[in-house]
Amino acid sequence: VSFDKCAFENLYCGVYVNWVTDPAKAPVISITNSTYTDTTYGYSVDEVTNGAVVGGVETTFENNTGDVTEAETWQDAVAATVISGDVAKAYSSWENAYNAADENGIIILQKNITGPVTIDKAVTIVGNGNTITAESGDAITVTAAGVTLSDVNATAQGGHALVVYSAYDNANNSYTPVNGDIAVNGGIYVAENASMQGEGAIRIFASGTVTVKDTTTTGGIHVFNPASYEISGNNVSFDGYNQKGVGILV
């Protein structure tokens, strides 16, 4: 679709493109040699409606005149993107993104998330500088094997920043481990409650290979009965008054 030598006046945007869910059907837009008057954006491509392809519309914007911003952006409205193959799709909430992700999919956080959150399928979560925060309880609970947390930040005001198990027996205060591997690569994990720091900002019950590396934690890193493990490059500290605890427990 080409727009050449057009005049756009008194508009929010000159050209609006609806969301695209199939990149193979994405339009190609060209806006050239056009003039803008009292118009905010030259064009807007909807990349925030749940399931919209990010970057799927090819747009050319050349030799246009007027006091106009070329494109409306949607970063502030997108909570997370989900990667499938080489296609990224946007979602307006963590819940929508997580539900849309397939097993072994990749979810990239685009803003801070209010937790707690539960991860019950094998996915990779990329923190992208954002934080999952829970006012009570554990910030992140993982109940499935094959989960990777990459540069995820998590803060729990009353519980663990991250806890991994497949089931919990409240009567006996016992945990059933997930049957497989867990990887935590980078990120900041904070247990704000001083009594929880000693129990571990990160607390993992898993029967496979457990990796915890290059994290910064306020509270210990506790890994229980893994088949094998790599725990390296972590910065562990405690911030509670007269707080003591085990930094790394395996």
Side-chain angles (χ1 to χ4, degrees):
V1 179
S2 297
F3 300 86
D4 185 59
K5 298 179 181 177
C6 296
F8 300 98
E9 299 182 7
N10 301 314
L11 299 170
Y12 179 73
C13 66
V15 176
Y16 181 86
V17 182
N18 280 325
W19 61 93
V20 174
T21 58
D22 182 352
K25 298 179 180 179
V28 177
I29 305 295
S30 174
I31 305 173
T32 57
N33 305 306
S34 296
T35 58
Y36 288 85
T37 304
D38 294 328
T39 296
T40 305
Y41 296 105
Y43 62 90
S44 177
V45 179
D46 186 341
E47 293 186 346
V48 69
T49 295
N50 287 319
V53 173
V54 177
V57 177
E58 180 182 343
T59 306
T60 300
F61 192 80
E62 295 179 343
N63 300 322
N64 300 296
T65 58
D67 185 15
V68 66
T69 299
E70 177 177 337
E72 180 180 16
T73 57
W74 298 93
Q75 287 90 336
D76 292 342
V78 175
T81 51
V82 175
I83 307 297
S84 178
D86 59 356
V87 177
K89 293 187 176 182
Y91 294 88
S92 59
S93 70
W94 158 261
E95 291 79 8
N96 288 330
Y98 183 75
N99 290 336
D102 294 329
E103 290 277 340
N104 302 312
I106 300 172
I107 304 172
I108 303 176
L109 303 185
Q110 302 297 337
K111 60 170 55 176
N112 294 330
I113 303 298
T114 299
V117 303
T118 297
I119 301 171
D120 59 3
K121 58 186 173 183
V123 292
T124 294
I125 310 296
V126 179
N128 197 27
N130 298 291
T131 301
I132 298 172
T133 302
E135 293 184 357
S136 62
D138 306 318
I140 303 173
T141 300
V142 175
T143 61
V147 172
T148 296
L149 302 178
S150 179
D151 294 318
V152 173
N153 301 332
T155 298
Q157 297 177 4
H160 307 287
L162 167 65
V163 63
V164 179
Y165 60 87
S166 64
Y168 174 64
D169 182 347
N170 187 62
N172 296 306
N173 189 30
S174 62
Y175 295 84
T176 302
V178 299
N179 185 25
D181 304 337
I182 296 292
V184 183
N185 299 317
I188 300 170
Y189 293 84
V190 178
E192 289 191 349
N193 185 302
S195 65
M196 298 303 295
Q197 291 175 21
E199 292 191 16
I202 296 175
R203 192 170 174 87
I204 298 176
F205 298 82
S207 64
T209 299
V210 175
T211 302
V212 183
K213 63 181 182 180
D214 301 328
T215 69
T216 298
T217 72
T218 301
I221 298 171
H222 296 178
V223 178
F224 297 88
N225 299 317
S228 62
Y229 60 88
E230 177 187 355
I231 301 177
S232 63
N234 300 286
N235 185 343
V236 179
S237 63
F238 294 87
D239 194 33
Y241 175 73
N242 200 29
Q243 176 65 33
K244 297 179 180 179
V246 176
I248 297 176
L249 170 67
V250 179

